[in-house]
């Protein structure tokens, strides 16, 4: 393989890695904003039940992003996000202990994409952001082996 092929392959790999949504417990970043997702119970959401979900969202330097300084929206998509497909829900967010929280109910088993978007309110110093995670909901009692 020549150097040009290696550079092109490396660039492609980097693009693929940056465009893939993260799984729960991975920090996702966009510009000067990063967030970590937690879902109860044990980051394994259950179908048909309210799953307490929170986002530890911070701007570079560690300052918390909450509803006080952010116009934030959470959108839940069944499967992957596709152009022209609306989210199945946009649950209301709350601020608790410097975290953004929501109760999510997943209607059936399978993968869901959570998209957290935010725009700074006047006086905030972070950039507008879009963060994505993929989670898999299972039926209660149906916990199998989980890849982490």
């Amino acid at each position: 393989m020549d150097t040009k092929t290696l550079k092109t392959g490396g660039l492609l790999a980097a693009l693929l890695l940056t465009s893939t949504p993260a799984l729960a417990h991975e920090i996702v970043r966009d510009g000067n904003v990063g967030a970590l997702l937690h879902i109860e119970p044990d980051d394994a959401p259950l179908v048909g039940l309210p799953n307490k979900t929170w986002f530890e969202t911070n701007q570079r330097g560690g300052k918390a992003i909450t509803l006080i300084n952010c116009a934030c929206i959470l959108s839940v998509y069944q499967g992957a996000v596709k152009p022209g497909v609306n989210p199945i829900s946009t649950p209301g967010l709350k601020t608790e202990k410097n975290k953004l929280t929501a109760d999510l109910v997943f209607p059936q088993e399978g993968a869901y994409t959570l998209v957290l978007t935010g725009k700074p309110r006047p006086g905030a110093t972070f950039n507008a952001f879009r963060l994505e995670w993929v989670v898999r909901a299972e039926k209660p009692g149906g916990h199998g082996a989980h890849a982490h």
Side-chain angles (χ1 to χ4, degrees), residues 1-82:
M1 226 182 269
D2 62 19
T3 307
K4 185 176 181 183
T5 304
L6 285 173
K7 285 182 183 173
T8 305
L11 178 61
L12 180 61
L15 289 172
L16 289 172
L17 289 173
T18 58
S19 65
T20 303
L23 300 172
H25 271 288
E26 290 184 32
I27 295 175
V28 178
R29 290 186 175 85
D30 183 10
N32 66 344
V33 174
L36 185 64
L37 166 69
H38 301 279
I39 299 178
E40 293 178 10
D42 301 319
D43 288 313
L46 299 175
V47 171
L49 301 172
N51 295 273
K52 179 77 169 183
T53 306
W54 68 95
F55 302 87
E56 292 182 47
T57 312
N58 295 290
Q59 68 186 75
R60 191 169 287 130
K63 184 176 180 186
I65 294 175
T66 66
L67 295 177
I68 294 167
N69 60 8
C70 179
C72 294
I73 298 171
L74 176 61
S75 300
V76 179
Y77 295 85
Q78 194 156 8
V81 177
K82 296 178 184 136

Side-chain angles (χ1 to χ4, degrees), residues 86-107:
N86 291 326
I88 62 166
S89 67
T90 51
L93 287 166
K94 295 181 226 166
T95 297
E96 293 178 22
K97 299 179 184 174
N98 283 334
K99 295 177 180 77
L100 297 170
T101 68
D103 286 323
L104 304 184
V105 177
F106 300 98

